[in-house]
Every structure is written in structure tokens, then in C-alpha cells.
Amino acid sequence: NGFIGVLPLRMTYRGMQVRAALASSLVVDNPQQDPMAGARLLRSVLTGAQDLSLGETSGPQVQRMWQRLGGSSVPTYSMDWERVLRPAQFGVETLKERSWMAGWLRPVGFAVDALLGASKRRRFRIKPIDAGFKRADIDANELVALIRQFAARYELRPAWDDAGLRWILTHAARKEPFGDLIGRVVRAKNRTPLGCYLYYGRPGGIALVLQIFSGQEHVNTIVKSL
């Protein structure tokens, strides 16, 4: 009457091999009839053979169960953020998640944003990145190499190899409802890569950032380049 998804993951911690379990969707068919089903499913994961258990995008109820079973939350890794570029179109796209009829408002959104763009205040304007930095689209092969390069600075990190990363990117590209999967690199004047990022996007829609990688000293530059 329920299930939980678990992805086994090889990781390294200061050079040592670590076996991790990444818990994902937790669903119970009838929690009123069996209120402990979710807790039993989660416990079955935490009592597995792995060295480390991780979870992402949990709702408040699952989070409370996780903590009661000895898990902890990391606030700085649990934040969502939004940067509004075109407020009227953003509002229309948000409404479309509730009703497809909101799509009829797109021409109005374009008109309102055009007026706001002509305003002297330009509250939603994004400052361009420094002229010394260049960003460009990159293919999967270059992206795989950069991800491994920038992930190497973390003490605890997935033990990715090229084949495994390509498998992940292939599956990520199939999330068609979010738009096209786009990879970009930010380089210095001497062509040295400073960071890279992945996002889903489509013209006139809401872009969803999937992952950002960078050297610690260039984090602000990479985020601004989004």
C-alpha cells in the first residue's frame, strides 16, 4: 500500500569509498487506514546496508519522520530561490500551472513587461557580467569533464565516472515538461573555465536551474551569469 524510491550512489569522503542511498519519492495509498506505513518504509531505507543515507525535496511530514528516525536537515542546502526577470510573464506562467486558460494572457504579459522595460527605474534589469568573463553553451563531453573538475573540491562527493555522468545527463534531458536541458560554461579572459551550470528553459517560460558548479572564489560570478 505504498512505496519509496531509493537510488544507490557511490561516493567518496576524503578519498575513502562510501556507499550511499539517496531516498526520493515516498507515497502511501491510504495513510488514514495505515498511519505508520510511511514511517516503516523510511525505516526500511535507513536500516539498509549503506554507510550514508540522503534525501531531497521532502515535504514537512516526511522531514519530521526523517528527524524522528535520527536524520538531520541542512538548512543551507534546503533553499529554493527565484529571480524574476519579466514579472508579468512570470505571473502568467505561474497561473498556467493551475489552468491552461492562463495562456491567453501571454500577449498582455508581453505588453506589460515591454512597458516596464521602457521605465527608467528598470527594477527587474539584470546587470551584465564583467566584460572579462565569457559564457557559452557546451556539449555533454565538455560538461562531464567540468563537473568532475569542480566537484573534486568537495570532501564528500559522488564517485562519478564519465559513463555514469553521461547516463545522468541523458535521463535529465528527458524531463521535457521543464524545457530543453542546456549546459553552459563561464570562462575568464585566458579561457580558463571558472564554473558551469545546467538549467531547463524555453523562450517565454520559467527556467529551472538544475545544478551549479564553480570554484569557491567565483560563486557570485557564476550565479550572476545565470
Side-chain angles (χ1 to χ4, degrees):
N1 61 354
F3 72 87
I4 185 169
V6 184
L7 179 69
L9 186 65
R10 291 184 297 111
M11 303 187 76
T12 61
Y13 177 65
R14 296 180 178 178
M16 298 182 295
Q17 292 292 322
V18 176
R19 181 167 51 178
L22 179 62
S24 58
S25 300
L26 171 60
V27 178
V28 175
D29 180 40
N30 193 339
Q32 289 77 25
Q33 183 179 350
D34 189 358
M36 297 302 296
R40 289 199 302 271
L41 284 167
L42 188 55
R43 185 183 295 275
S44 72
V45 175
L46 298 179
T47 56
Q50 68 272 14
D51 305 304
L52 175 67
S53 298
L54 303 169
E56 286 188 308
T57 61
S58 299
Q61 186 175 3
V62 175
Q63 183 181 0
R64 287 193 295 269
M65 287 193 295
W66 181 274
Q67 291 171 334
R68 286 173 187 152
L69 292 170
S72 60
S73 299
V74 185
T76 52
Y77 284 96
S78 305
M79 296 186 296
D80 288 329
W81 53 269
E82 294 174 346
R83 178 64 167 95
V84 179
L85 307 177
R86 298 177 179 87
Q89 292 179 60
F90 175 75
V92 171
E93 289 297 317
T94 302
L95 288 173
K96 281 176 62 179
E97 296 178 1
R98 299 185 178 183
S99 172
W100 63 269
M101 295 181 66
W104 293 97
L105 296 175
R106 292 193 69 185
V108 178
F110 282 116
V112 172
D113 286 332
L115 290 174
L116 291 174
S119 170
K120 292 182 179 180
R121 295 179 66 182
R122 296 188 180 182
R123 181 177 178 181
F124 297 94
R125 183 178 60 181
I126 297 295
K127 295 181 180 179
I129 61 175
D130 190 284
F133 305 122
K134 301 295 182 183
R135 57 187 173 190
D137 293 347
I138 52 176
D139 60 25
N141 289 332
E142 187 175 6
L143 188 60
V144 164
L146 288 174
I147 289 175
R148 294 188 64 183
Q149 172 185 332
F150 289 113
R153 71 184 181 92
Y154 295 97
E155 290 187 334
L156 176 66
R157 61 182 183 272
W160 284 319
D161 54 27
D162 289 356
L165 271 175
R166 288 193 181 92
W167 180 85
I168 292 172
L169 293 174
T170 298
H171 281 267
R174 294 175 180 171
K175 303 290 185 180
E176 296 178 359
F178 299 128
D180 297 328
L181 182 63
I182 301 168
R184 283 188 172 174
V185 60
V186 179
R187 300 182 186 277
K189 280 186 176 180
N190 61 1
R191 302 288 296 168
T192 300
L194 306 178
C196 61
Y197 54 88
L198 277 165
Y199 71 96
Y200 295 104
R202 60 166 56 93
I206 298 175
L208 175 64
V209 179
L210 183 60
Q211 188 60 275
I212 301 173
F213 292 95
S214 76
Q216 192 165 2
E217 65 275 20
H218 299 297
V219 172
N220 291 335
T221 297
I222 305 305
V223 173
K224 186 186 293 185
S225 74
L226 292 169

